Amino acid sequence: MSKFFLTTVAFFLYSLPLAAQSSPVRSPAFEQLLKSVEHKYIEAANIPVPRLAKDAASGDVKDDRYWVSVWAADKYERTKILETGVDIIEIGDNKISGIAHKNTLPILSEKGFVVEDKIPLSSYITTFLKDFPPEDAAYHNYDEMIAVLKSLAENNSDIASLYSIGKTVEGREIWNLRINSSVKGDAKTDKPGAVFMGEHHAREHLSVEVPLLFAVWLLENRNREDVRNYIYTLDIHILPMINPDGAEYDISTGKYKWHRKNMRKNPDGNIGVDLNRNYDFRWGGAGASHYTYSDTYCGPSAFSEPESQAVKRFMEKHRNITTLISYHTYSELVLYPWGGIYEPVENEQDRKAFIAMAKKMAQLTGYTAKQSSDLYAATGDTCDWAYGELGTFAFTFELSPKGGWYSGGFYPGPGVIENTVKKNIDAAMYLMSVTADPHSAAK
Ligand code: 0X9
Ligand code: ZN
């Protein structure tokens, strides 16, 4: 997206009189940004490329994975399917759809699961030229995200700072835009903290846009009474891209690769560890795969990956953090722990607070609130670890679309950005309203 967006923002900022430039109010840029998204969307409508249709030209893409549909009666069967190495993506009444490596297919049959349908993923990988395909240029790649974060930090240097919480397996920095009126960078504070992070999973590009544009919106509206109150009383952390290596890889050839994991080169040559199975909480148990070729490979050990280690270090240092959202796509859900076991959170006060917060945020977004393991049990995710180890009220959001295939699945196009961002701003603002006292949510 950068050229249009950055030119617009730069033009806007530099066309202001000097006195106004030192003023913190820059609200039009958010709307301009959304307008640019809309503009790109209209442009995109004229590009005659089928979004997820079979594309003969891309038959040369080497990918050993299949899009499969498998009969599954309930969450227990779904967990078992997950453990064969299938990455479950859509859940219907009696079956699931998801991604399975070719080695997973015989395991599914051995375990007695019926594969109703399988289509080579390579036949669904659309062909484009470079970077995000032109019709998705509104999405931010890594450099474009950094440019936005930098400009936010520079233009709001009294209350915002940008620093890296660590490097990825390929050496990219994992950036955190911190909004705090008292401290900068990695310094500690006693103010209650809220964290918004995106893109644990590479192909879930919309999960970058939500925290990134939330940061833009917050700083442009910094003088609104409620926003100002949060900025001055809370410690706000926005980390839009936890897995930049994977995100860049997914768009690197101009053909979406449907990549999920990080870019760890496993000893057997298979690429990637699923960062949302790599956290050290019931690690490697239910719903995690130990096959390196699987999309849900949990890694050789808990916190084996620099990306999850960076999040661990960051969270452990800032024990003032009480609330967290980890954005993912897709299905339109607000998920709360536990995810690794079917039992509910044991502590009654916490459980009630989790449910109350999830319901409220579901109402604000139009999403559905659920305990994570109602989908399937999966161990080693961010939120179970954050709550289980640190007591953080941590939620997984599955953003749009709701249904998958015909709405574009992981690649729903720029048309969903504006609406998704706007309703998620409401949910994020609500979360900040209870960050000082999360239990108050249930009162
Ligand atoms: O499976 C995941 O990591 C998340 N879904 S996604 O399609 N974005 O990959 C859901 C995590 C929810 N947590 C558990 N069920 N444990
Ligand atoms: Zn995800």
Side-chain angles (χ1 to χ4, degrees), residues 90-104:
E90 292 179 18
I91 297 176
D93 283 346
N94 292 309
K95 66 179 176 183
I96 62 96
S97 298
I99 293 178
H101 189 271
K102 67 172 195 243
N103 297 352
T104 302

Side-chain angles (χ1 to χ4, degrees), residues 131-132 140-142 145 168 170 172 198-205 207-208 240-253 255-263 275 307 411:
D131 193 0
F132 273 105
H140 293 79
N141 66 27
Y142 180 58
M145 175 203 69
T168 63
E170 289 182 340
R172 289 185 179 84
E199 190 80 355
H200 270 73
H201 290 145
R203 61 195 169 209
E204 299 172 10
H205 301 286
S207 74
V208 176
M241 220 185 262
I242 299 298
N243 180 14
D245 294 355
E248 288 289 286
Y249 175 68
D250 195 52
I251 60 172
S252 57
T253 61
K255 298 170 184 178
Y256 283 131
K257 289 175 182 291
W258 294 62
H259 190 69
R260 170 179 170 97
K261 300 184 283 182
N262 75 350
M263 291 305 290
L275 297 176
E307 295 88 350
Y411 305 108

Side-chain angles (χ1 to χ4, degrees), residues 87 199-204 207 260 274 276-277 326-330 376 396-398 410:
D87 174 17
E199 190 80 355
H200 270 73
H201 290 145
R203 61 195 169 209
E204 299 172 10
S207 74
R260 170 179 170 97
D274 183 350
N276 213 31
R277 298 289 182 277
S326 178
Y327 296 102
H328 286 252
T329 74
Y330 56 91
Y376 42 72
T396 301
F397 273 43
E398 297 285 359
F410 293 115

Side-chain angles (χ1 to χ4, degrees), residues 206-207 210 327-332 367 397-401 424:
L206 187 59
S207 74
V210 166
Y327 296 102
H328 286 252
T329 74
Y330 56 91
S331 291
E332 301 191 348
Y367 298 173
F397 273 43
E398 297 285 359
L399 302 169
S400 290
N424 276 282

